[in-house]
Amino acid sequence: MLEIKNLSFSVQENGKSKEILKNINLSLAQNKLYVITGQNGSGKSTLVKIIMGILSQTSGQIFFGGKDISSMPIHERARLGISFAFQSPVTFKGLKVKELLDIASGQKNSLSQNCDYLSKVGLCARDYIDRYIDDKLSGGELKRIELAMALSRKGKLNIFDEPEAGIDLWSFDKLVSLFSSVKGTTLIVSHQRKILEIADKIILMKNGEIVKVGGKEEILPLTTNSSCTKLRGENE
C-alpha cells in the first residue's frame, strides 16, 4: 500500500548540509498497525511529515497504492486517502466542532455519526458538538477533537504523530483501544510501551535510519534501556 524507496532528507545548518534521514526503505501493508519508535532526534516525525507532504524529501520516492506521490502536495495526498494528526493540534478558530467533523469527513454527518466519532475519543457529543474551537477548550480537548476528525476522514492510511501528547492517563487507555479499532492502515509515532504492544510491526529508528522492523517480541527488548518507552513529546 505504501512503499518508500531510498528516501533521504537534509537541511542547511550553519552553512553546511545536515542529513536528517538517510536512505530510508520501507513498505507498509494494507490494514496493519505500525508504530515508529526510537530516541529523540532519530527522524520519526520528519519521516511521517514527508509521507504526508508537509516536508519534501531531498531524494528518493514514495508510492501509495502503486502511484508515485513523491512530488504531490498535501491536499492531493489527502484526496488519495492519507490522513494526518499532529502532535500539537491545529486550531481552527471560528468553527464549531460539528463543522470540523463535516469538513474532515467530506460530507454532512448525522448527529449519531458525530456522536460516534466523539464518544470514541472520550467526549460527549451533547457537550461538544456545538462548541466553537477557541481558547476555552483545553489542549487535551483539542487533541481529542483532532483525533475524532482523523476518525471521520476514514483514511486508507492514518498517521498519528505522538497521539499520547497532552492526553490524560484515563483517556490514554481509551486511546490505545481506539487504535486497535481504526480501519485501514495505521502509522503511529510513539514512545509509549502500551502503543508499541498493539502494533503488528514496530519500526525502530536511530540517527535518521531504520535499524530494524519486526514484531513486538523482537523489537521491544531493543528499546528497554532507551528513552523509547517514556511518555513525552519531542521536537524533530
Side-chain angles (χ1 to χ4, degrees):
M1 125 125 8
L2 182 81
E3 187 174 5
I4 298 172
K5 293 184 176 181
N6 305 316
L7 186 143
S8 295
F9 177 73
S10 301
V11 296
Q12 291 296 313
E13 191 174 276
N14 299 322
K16 296 182 179 179
S17 179
K18 180 181 179 181
E19 200 168 28
I20 306 298
L21 296 177
K22 309 167 188 175
N23 197 39
I24 299 292
N25 288 279
L26 180 67
S27 294
L28 305 184
Q30 287 186 337
N31 302 318
K32 298 292 183 181
L33 194 158
Y34 297 86
V35 179
I36 304 178
T37 196
Q39 295 182 346
N40 290 349
S42 58
K44 305 181 299 297
S45 290
T46 299
L47 177 56
V48 294
K49 286 175 182 177
I50 289 174
I51 293 171
M52 187 68 242
I54 298 166
L55 298 174
S56 297
Q57 69 274 14
T58 305
S59 62
Q61 292 176 288
I62 305 171
F63 296 88
F64 183 67
K67 186 179 183 68
D68 189 345
I69 64 168
S70 306
S71 56
M72 270 190 186
I74 296 173
H75 68 278
E76 289 187 12
R77 299 188 195 204
R79 284 176 185 160
L80 290 177
I82 304 177
S83 169
F84 192 98
F86 289 86
Q87 182 182 142
S88 298
V90 178
T91 56
F92 301 87
K93 292 184 178 180
L95 291 177
K96 291 183 178 181
V97 171
K98 64 182 179 183
E99 292 171 332
L100 282 179
L101 293 175
D102 288 347
I103 291 170
S105 64
Q107 64 179 19
K108 180 74 173 178
N109 295 318
S110 66
L111 179 61
S112 63
Q113 285 174 313
N114 284 333
C115 182
D116 182 54
Y117 298 138
L118 291 170
S119 64
K120 283 181 177 177
V121 297
L123 297 177
C124 175
R126 187 188 306 114
D127 297 333
Y128 286 90
I129 200 71
D130 286 313
R131 288 191 64 174
Y132 283 96
I133 305 298
D134 55 28
D135 55 12
K136 293 179 182 178
L137 292 169
S138 69
E141 288 172 321
L142 289 171
K143 183 73 175 183
R144 289 195 241 179
I145 290 167
E146 185 179 44
L147 291 173
M149 289 173 62
L151 289 177
S152 70
R153 290 187 195 109
K154 299 177 181 176
K156 296 176 182 177
L157 173 61
N158 305 287
I159 303 172
F160 299 90
D161 188 7
E162 297 246 15
E164 67 269 20
I167 296 290
D168 57 79
L169 292 177
W170 179 85
S171 299
F172 178 70
D173 286 336
K174 300 270 286 185
L175 184 67
V176 173
S177 63
L178 170 67
F179 290 133
S180 298
S181 65
V182 173
K183 295 180 180 179
T185 298
T186 300
L187 180 61
I188 306 170
V189 173
S190 182
H191 294 287
Q192 257 297 323
R193 188 179 184 90
K194 284 188 177 180
I195 293 180
L196 296 176
E197 287 177 342
I198 64 171
D200 293 307
K201 295 287 184 181
I202 299 173
I203 302 158
L204 180 61
M205 295 188 67
K206 183 178 181 181
N207 298 328
E209 298 179 286
I210 293 178
V211 177
K212 201 170 187 63
V213 179
K216 61 183 179 181
E217 297 83 2
E218 188 178 8
I219 305 297
L220 284 178
L222 302 178
T223 69
T224 303
N225 296 318
S226 72
S227 64
C228 295
T229 56
K230 294 182 180 179
L231 179 58
R232 63 185 184 189
E234 69 174 330
N235 294 310
E236 297 183 344

